[in-house]
Amino acid sequence: MTRMVRVLVVIACALYAAGACATNQYCLSCSSSPTDWFPTQNAGYATVAARFAACGGSFTVDGAGGPSQWAPGTIATYQGFWYNPPRATHGNDCDYQTWWAVYHVVCQDGFQWDDTAHRCTAPLLVIVRPTDQSSFSLSAANSTATPLVPFQADPGAANTATSINWALQLEYQTSGGRGAHTEPYSFTTLGTGTNQQTYASTGGKLTVRASAVIDGIRQNAGPNVAYIVGVSIPNGSITDRLVLLYAGGATPRLLTGIAMMESTYRQFTVSTLYNYSGLWPLESYDGGSHVGLMMMPVSTGHAWDWLANTQDAETLFEQKLAIARSRETQIIAMHPGLPPLSDTDRERMALLLYGPGASGSLSKQYFASTRDNDGNWSWIRNSLGNPVGVTYADSVLSLIQ
Amino acid sequence: MVMLTQITQRVTAWAVLAGFGTTCLAATPADYSWTTFGSQSVAAVGWSSADIGSFLAFASHADDTITIGDFRFVDLLGDGNIELVASADYSGRSLFNDLVIVHRSGGLFGMQHIGTPSLESLNGVISDINNDGKKEILVPTGLTPYVNGTVPVATWTAIYSWNGSLFQENTSSFSTYYATTVLSPLQAALKTANGTGNAEKIALAQIELDKATRVSIGPGTTGMSTAQALVASTDPVLRIWAASVLGDIGTADALTTLATLTQDADSSVALYAKSAQQQASWAHCDRVQIAVRNGGPEHLVDLHSRDPIVIAIYLDARRSQAIDRKSVTFGESGFEPSLLFCERNDQSLECRFGGALSGLTVSDAVATLHGKRKDQTCFVGQAGVQVVDGPQGRWQDRH
């Protein structure tokens, strides 16, 4: 009975990128004898493990008896195992029938396994830009858009007329998995031509793939991963924006207090997302149910566009002002003689309705009614009826810039 | 199959409405039976959050949008009647700081509101933890204030149980549950926080564990040493948290230390400390039994009626003599200056309040009373009510 022992050797083929080994694209020949594992390029190394270690690479081994039976560095012990698989089931696994092992060579950095030459070879199609792990900031259009991001591939000098298909995917979600958004996009370039894209009011992890048919064979490149991240917005710009938005209000600088209260004036902050440290949208403590300057509910716009974040907050505050007027009218109707609130006092009512103490109850507004000894009604700060809301409003007012 | 059933029921509801010749544009939960038996049960319909928000806004005459984070139709009391439990947001920012419990009585809907820092999901909120057939409501309750969006709020689990007329906070009666279910995870959380070396994470975990200990196995001064240490912190957030803990402990020593924070050089710390100080003055009041004498067994309070709301405060004669009657306030929050007068009868102190001054609004299901004795100790009582706006106040008449 045939002893069926499958040995899978996974080799991280990082040779070409490792200094002195950069020109050596020869990973490992699939051959019939252990001695053939050390052809000319590998001379001087006792084992395959040593060869790869010297080049900054590594490999793992899984034998029939498990890794402990055939561990890295004990190559010689593989003798006695053999395998004769149907080729169709292994494709590029380099599963030659002549000897006892099946090697699965994994080429890295875009290199591809050449099943004829038995080695990793430079890819025919390479993404030139964006480079892997690059980043682009929202430094244009008042800190809401990236400069032009170039997409360029190299199909080789002989293929300048080749059409390159690009598949992009921009994804973002907060650290707590909130506000998940995925945005696929595709386009075509020709040869080494460049396509330029601008990312506005969005950001996140950008995965870039390219493909082309070269010499009748589909070649894939990438993925290269790039990051669209935020920028540090100057405090002066934030203040100007917030004052402009609420210019007609009784306290034109009121929104600066909200921004300071909610985010300490930060739309973005240095943090790590997708294993990348950069300026990501500021998240609420619960994993990002709210984001940005005004701590608005998470969405792509609120996370990446500080103008949208502040605009929507101002719109909401105006709605709260209208509700505050309505509540004021209702309370006055119940307490004859109670005077109207001033515009600034009405803003306090609206602030409570914008914050964590928002309530539909007339007894839980910023102001409540009180009666003096003569039976006259007046307004009183409602710190007992709604301490959470009143403290929030007072804090905002104390933080106006 | 489920979807088909739901759609069928919605279509049926339309047909029913059409048959009645009503002008309603769409079916609402009010159009269904709020019982666990029979067909047309409200719990069997696939309501959306928007449906529930609209229903709550209409039922309470709200003038702003109510956003619903989560909701359940569930028989809370095991009596065959279904209640609606929903997490609601009034801020427009999805803060979900209100838990609403809606009970239907005939054509009337009574709503009890319980405050919470943020409760988007109701998972784990409804549970019969003492196996008495009536479900308890477990509400994450804020201990520390909202400092800003990036700073967590320390919470504790307040347990509300049915007392015959409303869900009342009764956590101290569930010390066994706390000891077996709540404290252990909090201790593990503290251990994890300690591993991070992050001062705010450690303080937060310690504060939450201390509070859980105070409300369950005690003693009531647990956390005093932590709070005193936090007072000395250079981090203003930790000093704000210390103020909240000290106010919550509420002993003379704690309040003395809290007073120092009201003078803190950081104006934010001082502001929060003053708020904690004010809340502390009412946080440790004696509970007294009160009852609404109006409106028969439903305790109906008609906002359009000129009749006062009559509240019986059950205190013995000696203690009722010691009440500072002018201090008594009553209404939706319990701090409304709605008192008309009080008089002593055989079994209770009976006080009358102006309905329009009480702050109670249509569908309110709970009223609160506060008062002080002449020695400045305070008392608080809550009672179930059913607020309507006149004889036309019933749902089906307005609908």
Side-chain angles (χ1 to χ4, degrees):
Chain A
M1 183 176 173
T2 304
R3 289 179 62 196
M4 294 252 327
V5 180
R6 178 178 180 180
V7 181
L8 181 67
V9 182
V10 179
I11 302 174
C13 184
L15 299 180
Y16 84 99
C21 302
T23 59
N24 186 353
Q25 298 171 4
Y26 194 97
C27 280
L28 187 64
S29 68
C30 300
S31 184
S32 60
S33 166
T35 57
D36 288 344
W37 285 28
F38 307 100
T40 308
Q41 294 94 328
N42 296 329
Y45 296 97
T47 65
V48 173
R51 175 71 184 90
F52 276 76
C55 294
S58 63
F59 72 101
T60 59
V61 183
D62 190 7
S68 61
Q69 188 177 344
W70 200 43
T74 60
I75 299 297
T77 63
Y78 85 102
Q79 293 184 62
F81 296 135
W82 67 280
Y83 184 48
N84 189 5
R87 185 172 178 89
T89 63
H90 289 274
N92 280 347
D93 278 359
C94 189
D95 47 350
Y96 288 91
Q97 303 171 22
T98 51
W99 245 88
W100 306 300
V102 174
Y103 316 116
H104 185 181
V105 180
V106 179
C107 302
Q108 294 186 332
D109 298 302
F111 277 51
Q112 295 169 340
W113 180 252
D114 185 324
D115 206 22
T116 303
H118 308 157
R119 62 187 187 184
C120 292
T121 56
L124 294 179
L125 179 66
V126 174
I127 295 174
V128 178
R129 295 185 294 176
T131 56
D132 196 33
Q133 298 299 309
S134 56
S135 68
F136 302 90
S137 300
L138 302 177
S139 56
N142 202 358
S143 303
T144 63
T146 63
L148 291 172
V149 176
F151 295 87
Q152 183 184 26
D154 182 0
N159 302 296
T160 53
T162 298
S163 179
I164 316 291
N165 296 311
W166 294 82
L168 277 52
Q169 179 167 286
L170 181 62
E171 59 185 297
Y172 169 71
Q173 62 180 8
T174 67
S175 62
R178 291 170 177 267
H181 176 73
T182 301
E183 191 178 334
Y185 186 66
S186 60
F187 55 85
T188 302
T189 57
L190 197 63
T192 56
T194 300
N195 183 305
Q196 300 189 101
Q197 302 283 328
T198 294
Y199 290 88
S201 304
T202 190
K205 176 185 173 185
L206 179 65
T207 304
V208 182
R209 289 182 168 86
S211 65
V213 176
I214 300 174
D215 296 336
I217 299 173
R218 174 161 295 281
Q219 302 289 333
N220 297 309
N224 282 13
V225 174
Y227 302 92
I228 309 298
V229 294
V231 290
S232 182
I233 303 167
N235 284 359
S237 301
I238 294 172
T239 300
D240 290 348
R241 164 74 176 170
L242 294 173
V243 173
L244 179 67
L245 280 172
Y246 193 57
T251 309
R253 304 180 80 84
L254 186 67
L255 298 188
T256 66
I258 296 178
M260 187 55 76
M261 173 79 193
E262 294 287 353
S263 67
T264 54
Y265 254 48
R266 292 173 297 167
Q267 178 70 22
F268 303 104
T269 189
V270 175
S271 56
T272 300
L273 206 58
Y274 299 108
N275 290 319
Y276 181 81
S277 177
L279 279 168
W280 294 101
L282 181 71
E283 298 180 1
S284 56
Y285 67 87
D286 60 356
S289 64
H290 296 76
V291 288
L293 272 164
M294 311 300 270
M295 278 291 142
M296 296 298 283
V298 65
S299 67
T300 301
H302 288 158
W304 294 100
D305 187 336
W306 72 286
L307 301 179
N309 188 295
T310 50
Q311 176 65 70
D312 288 354
E314 195 277 337
T315 301
L316 178 61
F317 187 74
E318 293 285 356
Q319 293 168 3
K320 298 303 177 187
L321 272 174
I323 295 169
R325 283 190 199 94
S326 169
R327 302 267 161 88
E328 174 192 355
T329 303
Q330 293 175 63
I331 295 171
I332 288 174
M334 294 175 181
H335 303 85
L338 192 62
L341 290 169
S342 68
D343 288 345
T344 53
D345 283 344
R346 202 170 295 117
E347 285 178 335
R348 292 169 188 259
M349 297 271 279
L351 278 175
L352 181 142
L353 296 169
Y354 182 91
S359 171
S361 165
L362 291 179
S363 290
K364 292 177 179 171
Q365 304 306 303
Y366 185 91
F367 289 108
S369 57
T370 187
R371 190 164 41 184
D372 63 20
N373 290 334
D374 297 327
N376 298 317
W377 292 105
S378 60
W379 295 101
I380 185 174
R381 192 172 150 271
N382 193 16
S383 55
L384 289 176
N386 190 344
V388 172
V390 169
T391 305
Y392 174 82
D394 288 349
S395 295
V396 168
L397 292 169
S398 73
L399 293 169
I400 287 176
Q401 303 298 295
Chain B
M1 186 63 187
V2 172
M3 285 297 292
L4 182 61
T5 304
Q6 291 169 349
I7 291 168
T8 304
Q9 285 167 337
R10 294 301 293 270
V11 171
T12 305
W14 275 91
V16 169
L17 289 169
F20 285 162
T22 172
T23 57
C24 287
L25 295 176
T28 82
D31 302 312
Y32 287 81
S33 165
W34 285 43
T35 58
T36 55
F37 43 81
S39 59
Q40 300 292 313
S41 172
V42 70
V45 181
W47 303 106
S48 68
S49 292
D51 291 334
I52 301 303
S54 299
F55 165 67
L56 292 182
F58 187 62
S60 60
H61 292 191
D63 55 4
D64 51 359
T65 303
I66 301 175
T67 307
I68 302 300
D70 196 4
F71 67 90
R72 304 270 196 284
F73 282 101
V74 58
D75 179 3
L76 291 177
L77 307 181
D79 59 1
N81 292 314
I82 290 173
E83 282 77 27
L84 166 64
V85 183
S87 62
D89 172 68
Y90 292 85
S91 71
R93 286 199 295 150
S94 300
L95 297 175
F96 302 110
N97 57 347
D98 192 31
L99 180 76
V100 190
I101 303 168
V102 186
H103 178 79
R104 180 172 195 167
S105 176
L108 302 173
F109 294 89
M111 299 186 194
Q112 179 175 358
H113 299 266
I114 300 173
T116 177
S118 180
L119 184 65
E120 191 170 356
S121 165
L122 293 180
N123 290 341
V125 168
I126 305 165
S127 176
D128 181 8
I129 57 180
N130 59 2
N131 296 312
D132 67 349
K134 294 181 174 63
K135 293 183 170 55
E136 281 72 43
I137 311 291
L138 286 69
V139 185
T141 303
L143 176 61
T144 57
Y146 182 87
V147 177
N148 71 47
T150 64
V151 175
V153 175
T155 60
W156 61 286
T157 302
I159 301 176
Y160 288 75
S161 58
W162 182 250
N163 73 356
S165 63
L166 59 98
F167 278 91
Q168 189 163 47
E169 196 271 296
N170 196 20
T171 312
S172 59
S173 297
F174 293 89
S175 56
T176 302
Y177 171 80
Y178 249 74
T180 58
T181 308
V182 178
L183 291 179
S184 183
L186 291 174
Q187 287 160 347
L190 176 58
K191 191 175 178 183
T192 302
N194 280 328
T196 68
N198 180 303
E200 288 192 5
K201 286 182 178 174
I202 294 168
L204 184 77
Q206 184 70 61
I207 286 170
E208 292 186 337
L209 175 60
D210 289 343
K211 173 62 179 177
T213 305
R214 283 200 297 279
V215 299
S216 56
I217 58 177
T221 53
T222 303
M224 184 68 186
S225 58
T226 299
Q228 286 172 325
L230 296 179
V231 166
S233 169
T234 56
D235 181 348
V237 169
L238 297 186
R239 299 204 298 282
I240 290 169
W241 288 357
S244 299
V245 172
L246 291 166
D248 189 64
I249 293 173
T251 60
D253 283 351
L255 295 178
T256 300
T257 308
L258 175 57
T260 65
L261 285 173
T262 64
Q263 307 299 318
D264 196 282
D266 186 315
S267 60
S268 288
V269 176
L271 189 152
Y272 285 107
K274 286 172 186 167
S275 177
Q277 198 176 41
Q278 195 160 25
Q279 291 177 63
S281 66
W282 289 97
H284 305 281
C285 303
D286 298 333
R287 278 191 190 172
V288 297
Q289 185 186 353
I290 67 171
V292 180
R293 289 283 172 82
N294 303 59
E298 288 181 317
H299 306 300
L300 284 175
V301 170
D302 182 354
L303 294 177
H304 280 195
S305 169
R306 292 177 180 273
D307 296 335
I309 303 171
V310 183
I311 301 294
I313 309 171
Y314 294 99
L315 295 165
D316 61 46
R318 184 183 59 79
R319 296 182 74 187
S320 65
Q321 289 294 333
I323 285 179
D324 174 6
R325 296 189 182 188
K326 286 186 177 176
S327 74
V328 178
T329 53
F330 170 82
E332 203 277 337
S333 74
F335 293 105
E336 294 83 357
S338 55
L339 179 68
L340 302 176
F341 63 89
C342 294
E343 59 187 5
R344 178 76 209 169
N345 66 19
D346 289 345
Q347 296 179 330
S348 65
L349 183 68
E350 208 165 80
C351 295
R352 284 167 168 72
F353 301 90
L357 306 179
S358 66
L360 291 167
T361 53
V362 173
S363 77
D364 277 339
V366 177
T368 304
L369 176 142
H370 285 102
K372 287 194 172 176
R373 303 185 185 89
K374 289 171 183 170
D375 65 1
Q376 291 305 299
T377 58
C378 58
F379 56 88
V380 59
Q382 284 191 311
V385 295
Q386 180 67 64
V387 182
V388 295
D389 59 348
Q392 277 75 45
R394 289 172 186 265
W395 173 275
Q396 65 265 46
D397 296 329
R398 294 197 313 271
H399 190 48

